[in-house]
Amino acid sequence: MPNDAPALPRPDAILFDLDGTLVDTVWTRIDAWLEALEQSGLPTTSDVLAPMIGLDGRRLAREVAALAGRPIDEARSEAIDKLSGEIYERLNRPRPLPGVKEIVAAIAAADIKWAIATSSRKDQVKTSVDALGLDAEPTIIDASHVKNAKPEPDLLLYAAKALDVAPGRCWYVGDSTWDMVSAVAAGMVAIGIEAGSAVGPEALRSAGAAVVLGDLLELTDVLVKVTAPSAAERR
């Protein structure tokens, strides 16, 4: 466990973001948004988009439009979000980030429930999940399950309910500030991962991360230590 990491409680469930946390897709996501917004008459830059990645796509479209001084309605934001997803699927060549199989194995060994909770649209998720190469498809909670995705806590609370675990007994692992904000709002332990993130560790900490780790291999080490039986339990 990193020297500066606080003592984390043993989780009953671990929830993961997808893009930038389990798969290295954040910059592909940014490229898709750049193309979609350009086609929609709302050109922007990667510097503007990077800190927005992780937001509900409809809200992201509205934020960019507002910055351009051209507010859009819900229908327009839905259309732009859908276009971005279609472009993303065309561009997406996902690769698992370091430690995916190790953390899944450690979760199984500790007999802990887990799921993916992502703001992505349902039709954008399959390619990235398939790229993880897992033995069985995990529980997936996507943006179609709730009216308001991240940074609202609804998605995470829905996932905790689906796993039948109290939110306060969950870790939420993500790479964006919006992941951290959503986790804190849901009453979960927010854990930031740097490996696939478009923002730095200080941004994750400022957004509420209890700890920021370099990658999922570090998270595996943390989980193994947290779930190791005590001396009394080994007797």
Side-chain angles (χ1 to χ4, degrees):
M1 189 179 297
N3 293 332
D4 63 344
L8 296 176
R10 187 189 195 282
D12 290 341
I14 302 179
L15 307 177
F16 293 89
D17 173 52
L18 182 58
D19 288 318
T21 302
L22 298 177
V23 285
D24 190 12
T25 53
V26 163
W27 291 102
T28 303
R29 182 73 69 180
I30 289 173
D31 287 343
W33 273 112
L34 286 170
E35 186 173 334
L37 290 162
E38 177 76 28
Q39 289 185 28
S40 302
L42 294 167
T44 188
T45 67
S46 57
D47 287 342
V48 170
L49 286 174
M52 294 187 186
I53 297 301
L55 274 176
D56 181 312
R58 294 163 298 181
R59 177 168 169 179
L60 187 153
R62 292 196 299 273
E63 294 277 350
V64 171
L67 287 172
R70 298 169 59 190
I72 56 176
D73 61 18
E74 187 67 27
R76 183 69 171 143
S77 67
E78 172 75 21
I80 296 172
D81 183 30
K82 184 177 180 182
L83 175 60
S84 173
E86 291 168 352
I87 295 170
Y88 174 74
E89 273 299 288
R90 170 168 55 80
L91 299 176
N92 194 20
R93 301 293 184 271
R95 295 176 302 168
L97 283 159
V100 170
K101 291 192 174 181
E102 288 83 354
I103 189 62
V104 171
I107 289 169
D111 195 25
I112 291 172
K113 298 177 181 180
W114 75 284
I116 293 172
T118 172
S119 289
S120 294
R121 302 171 75 96
K122 184 176 182 179
D123 53 1
Q124 299 171 20
V125 172
K126 186 178 187 303
T127 301
S128 290
V129 172
D130 287 348
L132 297 177
L134 302 177
D135 293 335
E137 183 173 301
T139 299
I140 301 169
I141 308 301
D142 58 60
S144 69
H145 289 87
V146 294
K147 181 179 179 181
N148 298 305
K150 292 179 284 187
E152 302 303 324
D154 307 33
L155 185 77
L156 276 58
L157 294 173
Y158 188 103
K161 185 176 181 179
L163 296 180
D164 194 26
V165 174
R169 300 296 304 169
C170 295
W171 291 0
Y172 187 64
V173 183
D175 66 288
S176 76
T177 56
W178 309 109
D179 294 331
M180 303 301 99
V181 169
S182 183
V184 171
M188 298 181 181
V189 176
I191 298 177
I193 299 292
E194 290 185 69
S197 181
V199 298
E202 287 309 314
L204 295 171
R205 292 189 186 96
S206 296
V211 62
V212 178
L213 303 171
D215 57 29
L216 296 171
L217 292 169
E218 288 189 19
L219 180 64
T220 301
D221 291 341
V222 170
L223 181 64
V224 168
K225 291 175 182 177
V226 166
T227 58
S230 67
E233 290 171 328
R234 291 194 296 269
R235 289 176 188 151

